[in-house]
């Protein structure tokens, strides 16, 4: 969550920049005072954030990975492969597909693809044990945010309890 979430939900690209180790004991409290600030750290952090924002501003938009409300991630063609799809992004130089095991925090693998390719299949890679993403690459090498494939839990018919407790 964060202030950026409402913009994302309304369809606007937005990111939240924070420091790596926020002090939640002081944040937004009466102890959140200027004398607790590390001003040199804030200056370095602001420079890094400004550079990241400039890079994102120069990048193409992130690929759209949903079609008619459904994520374009399937188990085809074998039933055990991961096939990712996305809508073309105008003016890109290519795409970068990412994947990692579900229990890892950072992307472990990536593959660069040409601008005219809008799907990619990872043979023998289960969508149940991995997380996938795709970014658009601009002509100058700037990368968009990564669009992450998240498959919502399937809705099931409600269970009917018969007799007993």
């Amino acid at each position: 969550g964060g202030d950026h979430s409402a913009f994302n939900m309304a369809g606007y690209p937005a990111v939240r920049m924070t420091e790596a180790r926020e002090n939640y004991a002081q944040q937004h409290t009466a102890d959140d005072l200027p004398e607790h600030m590390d001003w040199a750290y804030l200056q370095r952090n602001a420079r890094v954030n400004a550079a990241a924002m400039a890079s994102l501003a120069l990048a193409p938009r992130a690929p759209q990975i949903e079609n008619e409300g459904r994520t374009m991630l399937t188990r085809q063609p074998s039933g055990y492969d991961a096939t990712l799809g996305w809508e073309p992004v105008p003016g890109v130089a290519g795409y970068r597909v990412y994947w990692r095991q579900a229990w890892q925090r950072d992307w472990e693998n990536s593959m660069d693809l040409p601008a005219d390719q809008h799907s990619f299949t990872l043979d023998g890679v289960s969508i149940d044990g991995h997380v996938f993403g795709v970014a658009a690459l601009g002509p100058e090498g700037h990368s968009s945010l990564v669009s992450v494939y998240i498959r919502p839990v399937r809705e099931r018919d409600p269970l009917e309890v018969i007799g007993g407790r």
Side-chain angles (χ1 to χ4, degrees), residues 2-26:
D3 295 335
H4 68 295
S5 298
F7 291 97
N8 291 146
M9 288 187 285
Y12 296 100
V15 294
R16 179 179 180 217
M17 297 292 205
T18 65
E19 63 177 295
R21 290 180 262 166
E22 291 183 80
N23 183 347
Y24 294 110
Q26 290 181 330

Side-chain angles (χ1 to χ4, degrees), residues 25-132:
Q26 290 181 330
Q27 189 179 51
H28 305 302
T29 70
D31 290 329
D32 197 355
L33 301 170
E35 55 264 28
H36 296 143
M37 287 293 300
D38 179 340
W39 296 100
Y41 175 78
L42 176 63
Q43 184 180 38
R44 289 189 311 270
N45 197 344
R47 285 182 178 142
V48 168
N49 286 344
M53 291 300 212
S55 181
L56 286 172
L58 294 169
R61 68 170 173 78
Q64 174 68 8
I65 59 173
E66 290 185 2
N67 188 350
E68 297 180 11
R70 297 186 52 95
T71 302
M72 294 188 279
L73 174 64
T74 69
R75 301 174 191 273
Q76 303 309 319
S78 74
Y80 194 75
D81 301 320
T83 296
L84 293 65
W86 56 90
E87 296 294 332
V89 177
V92 300
Y95 299 95
R96 182 169 294 141
V97 172
Y98 296 91
W99 67 99
R100 63 176 170 83
Q101 294 179 359
W103 47 88
Q104 298 297 329
R105 293 184 305 180
D106 298 319
W107 297 116
E108 298 174 296
N109 306 284
S110 66
M111 172 80 64
D112 286 354
L113 303 171
D116 61 352
Q117 188 169 343
H118 307 119
S119 67
F120 182 69
T121 299
L122 290 158
D123 296 329
V125 177
S126 170
I127 66 173
D128 296 320
H130 292 80
V131 177
F132 308 94

